[in-house]
Amino acid sequence: MRKKLIVANWKMKFTVGESSLFLNKLQEKVVANRNVEVVICPNVLTLQSLSLQIDRRKFKLGAQNCYYKDEGAFTGEVSASMLRGIANYIIIGHSERRHIFCETDKLITQKVQAVLRSGLKPILCVGETKNERIAGETAHTLHAQVTAGLANVTSEEIKDVVIAYEPVWAIGTGDFAKSEDAMTAAKYIRRQVEGLFGKKAAEEIQILYGGSVDTDNAGSYLAAEDVDGLLVGGASLKADAFATIIGKANEIATA
């Protein structure tokens, strides 16, 4: 049985002090559940300090991005190997990285490989834009992004990959996908993984939904077939809301 996985993407929010205070508040509200894994992805500046404070019975840490080289003259970048021992997961290919920072499929492929090479787990984000959705190109976009993201991933490494379906048109817009849409996309992604790596890999891989997740709709996504968890943005910046979402995951995971 696949665990539920709830990932908080704090984006470019919270100072070091604010992150510490928020985490303390969150840890008081969250109950550990062995069937649910919760990952906090703060900005890179706060990762190390939070690693000393975090209750690892309740949470793991993740990074929001990394560079694909292990080291070198790349001013301002942070490699996956530098995050080893601090983070467990790294978000790769988030739509904001693809569309604001113009990250290509080739770069995302290299980043996934760098994360796996460092012994960490990539959360590969895929999803269509509004124009692609209107044009009926969702399946084509998912196929291209999943194929590129998993290029050169081995049958042994695929067990450490998480895929997050995050339709670009739903991120931070309030225009969230229906649970049926999330389920359809997750099923398509799972079939694609089966075609690339076999039935066992497809059955084991965790597939998340992300895009305007809140306390009202989280339960419907978590209950949807083939959706194993959530990538939460804005709602993860509110302790009560995020604790409620984790509570819904706990309820569903132990039902």
Side-chain angles (χ1 to χ4, degrees), residues 78-209:
V78 176
S79 70
S81 61
M82 290 175 175
L83 295 165
R84 194 167 45 212
I86 299 176
N88 301 97
Y89 292 83
I90 303 180
I91 299 173
I92 299 295
H94 190 281
S95 64
E96 290 160 3
R97 299 299 312 177
R98 292 179 187 266
H99 297 287
I100 297 176
F101 298 98
C102 302
E103 292 193 359
T104 63
D105 283 341
K106 180 180 179 180
L107 179 59
I108 290 163
T109 300
Q110 293 171 316
K111 288 187 174 188
V112 169
Q113 293 167 358
V115 175
L116 292 169
R117 187 168 65 242
S118 296
L120 304 178
K121 297 182 178 182
I123 301 172
L124 171 64
C125 297
V126 297
E128 79 280 14
T129 64
K130 185 174 183 179
N131 287 340
E132 289 167 338
R133 176 178 171 82
I134 292 171
E137 296 177 352
T138 296
H140 174 77
T141 300
L142 293 179
H143 179 83
Q145 292 179 350
V146 170
T147 300
L150 300 181
N152 299 324
V153 172
T154 68
S155 56
E156 178 63 25
E157 291 171 331
I158 189 63
K159 71 180 188 307
D160 293 320
V161 177
V162 176
I163 299 179
Y165 169 60
E166 44 146 27
V168 180
W169 50 270
I171 297 171
T173 65
D175 186 15
F176 52 85
K178 296 178 180 178
S179 59
E180 293 85 358
D181 296 327
M183 182 175 67
T184 298
K187 284 182 177 296
Y188 180 83
I189 292 168
R190 203 174 296 282
R191 286 198 303 270
Q192 192 171 352
V193 171
E194 181 175 0
L196 292 169
F197 298 97
K199 186 175 182 180
K200 185 173 185 292
E203 289 175 346
E204 293 178 351
I205 196 167
Q206 291 172 301
I207 299 175
L208 315 181
Y209 171 75

Side-chain angles (χ1 to χ4, degrees), residues 206-225:
Q206 291 172 301
I207 299 175
L208 315 181
Y209 171 75
S212 294
V213 175
D214 58 29
T215 54
D216 293 328
N217 59 34
S220 63
Y221 293 128
L222 289 166
E225 187 179 356

